[in-house]
Amino acid sequence: FLIRLAPGDPTQIFEDSDMTAEGRAAIRRAWGLDRPLPEQYLRWMGRTLSGDWGVSFGQPQPVAAMIRAALGPTLVLSFAALAIRYGGGILLGVAAALYRDRWLDHLIRILSLALFSSPTFWLGLVAIFAFSVRFSIFPAGHSSSIEAASLSTIPRLLDLLWHLALPALVLGLTAAGATARLVRNNLIEALGSDSVRMLRARGIPERRILWWHAGRNALAPVVQTLALAVPALLSGSLVTEVVFSWPGLGRLAYTAVQQRDFPVILASTALSGALVLASSVLADLLHGAVDPRVRRV
């Protein structure tokens, strides 16, 4: 409904053609845009429940096929960014907690704050300039090389990882800072608890205390952030995919908004909502696995 209130019309894709006003009106009738807005929504909902996502206004192909083609690259980018966010954030947070109030702790806290405060689009442009333009280490965009289709499985996978590295680092590191600060604070609190003192008095090795007892208590709140991480990743992946020309769901939705391609916008929004709901359920399950106190008997 909000996109309908924005200026523009789906028939604007024919602006450069010699189409008459009558032809434009005929296209609007064919697309059903001459109907009242509630009727358009109910008709779309009825088709969607039967498995028909409609046909794109901007490209003559089914929306479901476009979503399937874009979903894979988005999931690859999102899972890689999640691994960087939680893997890098947990390691940085543990290091900061172990070297509390020392130079490494201060460095990690400053770095975490800088990463968390950096806009994704700005960090992406800086990364492209530094690692693609100034030093040709990573590609500046896209998910594969031109000759990737002719490569065998292993070289094709390496080519994908080569293109994935820079956008995944940009998307993951911007959130890793917040994870590192959360892990640091929780771990410091857990290491100073009475239960940990009792474990030390019993002669339990410090490494086991850190990674098993205190670590589990410190990671329980971090796991809960997974429910918020996926929506943030989806919104951040839109910017990242546009900056790096990554052929994913975010870039598809961005192009659809520009073209007022309502079927694609609705489908991508509905799918994003489903992913957010699934992530919330997964976060609850992981929270129960990490923290036995929240399990139900």
Side-chain angles (χ1 to χ4, degrees):
F1 286 98
L2 289 176
I3 195 64
R4 299 299 184 99
L5 298 177
D9 187 87
T11 59
Q12 67 187 12
I13 59 177
F14 304 109
E15 284 293 335
D16 296 333
S17 65
D18 297 329
M19 182 174 296
T20 62
E22 292 78 8
R24 198 179 301 273
I27 291 178
R28 289 182 58 85
R29 285 194 300 271
W31 286 346
L33 299 177
D34 59 331
R35 302 285 184 177
L37 190 55
E39 181 182 346
Q40 294 183 43
Y41 179 76
L42 291 176
R43 294 175 68 180
W44 172 82
M45 182 65 71
R47 292 195 305 266
T48 302
L49 293 177
S50 63
D52 181 14
W53 290 87
V55 178
S56 169
F57 294 163
Q59 304 180 37
Q61 57 179 311
V63 174
M66 299 173 64
I67 294 294
R68 281 195 300 269
L71 182 59
T74 292
L75 291 179
V76 169
L77 177 60
S78 298
F79 280 123
L82 272 177
I84 293 172
R85 169 178 179 165
Y86 286 103
I90 290 173
L91 291 177
L92 289 175
V94 170
L98 293 179
Y99 294 89
R100 180 183 180 184
D101 295 330
R102 297 166 67 175
W103 70 269
L104 182 59
D105 179 27
H106 296 311
L107 178 62
I108 292 175
R109 293 169 67 184
I110 293 173
L111 179 62
S112 301
L113 181 60
L115 289 173
F116 183 69
S117 305
S118 300
T120 306
F121 76 91
W122 177 83
L123 191 61
L125 294 175
V126 171
I128 290 175
F129 175 77
F131 299 105
S132 298
V133 178
R134 196 65 179 270
F135 302 100
S136 300
I137 302 176
F138 298 107
H142 303 289
S143 61
S144 61
S145 303
I146 299 177
E147 68 279 3
S150 60
L151 299 176
S152 58
T153 302
I154 299 300
R156 189 185 306 172
L157 179 60
L158 294 176
D159 182 75
L160 173 63
L161 295 176
W162 184 44
H163 285 77
L164 176 65
L166 207 56
L169 284 171
V170 168
L171 187 57
L173 287 177
T174 52
T179 303
R181 296 175 69 89
L182 182 60
V183 171
R184 174 192 179 274
N185 296 335
N186 293 337
L187 190 57
I188 289 175
E189 182 180 355
L191 289 174
S193 63
D194 293 336
S195 60
V196 170
R197 293 193 186 97
M198 292 178 60
L199 292 173
R200 290 196 179 106
R202 292 169 54 188
I204 304 298
E206 192 68 24
R207 180 174 298 180
R208 180 176 176 82
I209 293 175
L210 173 64
W211 293 108
W212 183 252
H213 299 282
R216 292 187 67 181
N217 294 332
L219 289 179
V222 177
V223 171
Q224 291 180 297
T225 63
L226 180 64
L228 301 176
V230 172
L233 276 178
L234 290 176
S235 60
S237 65
L238 188 151
V239 178
T240 306
E241 288 176 7
V242 172
V243 171
F244 287 94
S245 300
W246 187 266
L249 193 62
R251 186 183 176 195
L252 179 67
Y254 176 77
T255 304
V257 170
Q258 287 184 315
Q259 297 179 347
R260 301 298 186 269
D261 196 342
F262 300 142
V264 176
I265 294 173
L266 288 169
S268 58
T269 304
L271 182 58
S272 299
L275 292 176
V276 170
L277 291 175
S279 68
S280 299
V281 175
L282 179 60
D284 290 339
L285 295 176
L286 290 177
H287 189 201
V290 173
D291 190 354
R293 295 171 298 180
V294 302
R295 300 176 188 171
R296 292 183 178 180
V297 180

